[in-house]
Amino acid sequence: LLCTSQGMAVQQDGRGTKKLFHHAVDDSGVIHRYWLEAEESRHHVGGEQRETAEERAVALARGKATSSVIGTRAMGQRFNVLMTIQVPLQQSRRPPQRKCWGGLMQPLIGLTSGSGQVAMEACSASDLDWELLEDEEDTFCVSERDRDCCRQSRRKVPGHSSAARVSRGSEHDTWSGLTAKSAKRNPSEHVTITVVIYNAVKGGVPSAGDVMAAIDDLESLYRACAETGKLADSTFDFMKEPLKVDDMMDISAKLAFQPPSVAVVGFDTFPTA
């Protein structure tokens, strides 16, 4: 489950790396998948983002995310957060497959340019005589042709950092839906909830102060937790109870309501039940 202030997306995991998309269902029941985008804002790195009424109205008019309560209570209202809820399912057994080995591997080398963007370059088998060139700032080059790029990357200019507004972006495609039609919960594995906080930097690299602010933000959220321990401990039994009828009714109502085409209801109120 991908949870944002613009709605929720349900998709199934699989082998290897998977892309996460924002979903929207049109009047005919077709599921549209959208990229997620991050843009700079006037809010600094670290802490919640309290928007003015005018700022919220402008964001809604542009179809962008607005600041809402998401995650833990201590996080407050934010628009730079994505929350994923991974629900482990029973895996079906597959017949053994015949494996073949071989092929040509083409690694990708990331080189940081002076503009702060990352250029990816594919290297072929003819580049086996690579030379690793290190400098005093942990920048590296691969092969002679990349020396100039490395010299540019040494000039790291601090840019302007801010809390990133993470919103639904351009449409990727339409989706036929889940292929697992009779999914069953794996009773021996726990649900995992991951909250990711996004910040943006423009015109260079993050300054030391911005990096410290992001770290302090996370540390303060850890300290604000009511309990410490492991999910398997009895302290967290309250979040491992089976779903009740009322819970299922609330979930059904939420699915019918999302993704919201208007401002989030109760965006500044943390749920208590």
Side-chain angles (χ1 to χ4, degrees), residues 24-97:
V25 183
D26 62 23
D27 296 336
S28 60
V30 177
I31 305 172
H32 299 261
R33 299 198 300 180
Y34 297 83
W35 295 103
L36 292 162
E37 67 175 22
E39 63 180 13
E40 62 177 334
S41 71
R42 67 173 185 83
H43 297 265
H44 60 77
V45 175
E48 61 179 327
Q49 296 92 49
R50 291 277 182 172
E51 294 179 295
T52 63
E54 180 182 2
E55 191 177 4
R56 288 182 59 82
V58 171
L60 287 171
R62 295 193 301 121
K64 303 304 179 183
T66 54
S67 183
S68 304
V69 291
I70 185 170
T72 62
R73 183 189 298 272
M75 294 181 65
Q77 303 173 40
R78 302 193 183 218
F79 52 58
N80 68 334
V81 167
L82 293 179
M83 181 169 67
T84 57
I85 304 175
Q86 296 172 288
V87 182
L89 304 177
Q90 288 279 25
Q91 302 298 303
S92 58
R93 291 183 175 273
R94 293 186 177 183
Q97 298 179 349

Side-chain angles (χ1 to χ4, degrees), residues 176-193:
S176 58
L178 300 173
T179 58
K181 302 300 182 182
S182 57
K184 293 183 178 180
R185 177 80 163 76
N186 189 325
S188 62
E189 298 182 7
H190 298 300
V191 171
T192 302
I193 301 177

Side-chain angles (χ1 to χ4, degrees), residues 1-11 20-25 31-32 34-36 56 60 63-71 78-79 81-85 166-169 251 253-265 267:
L1 311 177
L2 174 64
C3 309
T4 76
S5 63
Q6 291 183 294
M8 182 180 68
V10 182
Q11 53 195 69
L20 285 176
F21 294 98
H22 189 283
H23 293 176
V25 183
I31 305 172
H32 299 261
Y34 297 83
W35 295 103
L36 292 162
R56 288 182 59 82
L60 287 171
K64 303 304 179 183
T66 54
S67 183
S68 304
V69 291
I70 185 170
R78 302 193 183 218
F79 52 58
V81 167
L82 293 179
M83 181 169 67
T84 57
I85 304 175
V166 183
S167 310
R168 186 176 76 182
I251 294 173
K254 174 64 177 176
L255 289 175
F257 178 69
Q258 74 87 30
S261 57
V262 296
V264 179
V265 176
F267 69 91

Side-chain angles (χ1 to χ4, degrees), residues 45-196:
V45 175
E48 61 179 327
Q49 296 92 49
R50 291 277 182 172
E51 294 179 295
T52 63
E54 180 182 2
E55 191 177 4
R56 288 182 59 82
V58 171
L60 287 171
R62 295 193 301 121
K64 303 304 179 183
T66 54
S67 183
S68 304
V69 291
I70 185 170
T72 62
R73 183 189 298 272
M75 294 181 65
Q77 303 173 40
R78 302 193 183 218
F79 52 58
N80 68 334
V81 167
L82 293 179
M83 181 169 67
T84 57
I85 304 175
Q86 296 172 288
V87 182
L89 304 177
Q90 288 279 25
Q91 302 298 303
S92 58
R93 291 183 175 273
R94 293 186 177 183
Q97 298 179 349
R98 187 176 179 182
K99 296 183 179 180
C100 298
W101 300 92
L104 176 64
M105 181 178 68
Q106 293 189 337
L108 293 177
I109 307 301
L111 300 174
T112 306
S113 66
S115 63
Q117 298 176 338
V118 177
M120 301 304 293
E121 180 180 348
C123 304
S124 63
S126 61
D127 294 319
L128 295 180
D129 57 342
W130 290 340
E131 180 184 3
L132 184 63
L133 305 175
E134 299 180 352
D135 66 16
E136 66 277 6
E137 297 194 27
D138 294 329
T139 312
F140 67 91
C141 297
V142 178
S143 80
E144 179 70 21
R145 61 187 176 183
D146 296 324
R147 285 181 182 270
D148 293 338
C149 180
C150 281
R151 292 192 184 99
Q152 294 177 6
S153 65
R154 294 175 186 174
R155 297 189 291 270
K156 299 178 180 178
V157 180
H160 174 71
S161 299
S162 63
R165 188 183 295 271
V166 183
S167 310
R168 186 176 76 182
S170 59
E171 184 171 353
H172 174 60
D173 61 5
T174 57
W175 188 44
S176 58
L178 300 173
T179 58
K181 302 300 182 182
S182 57
K184 293 183 178 180
R185 177 80 163 76
N186 189 325
S188 62
E189 298 182 7
H190 298 300
V191 171
T192 302
I193 301 177
T194 305
V195 179
V196 181

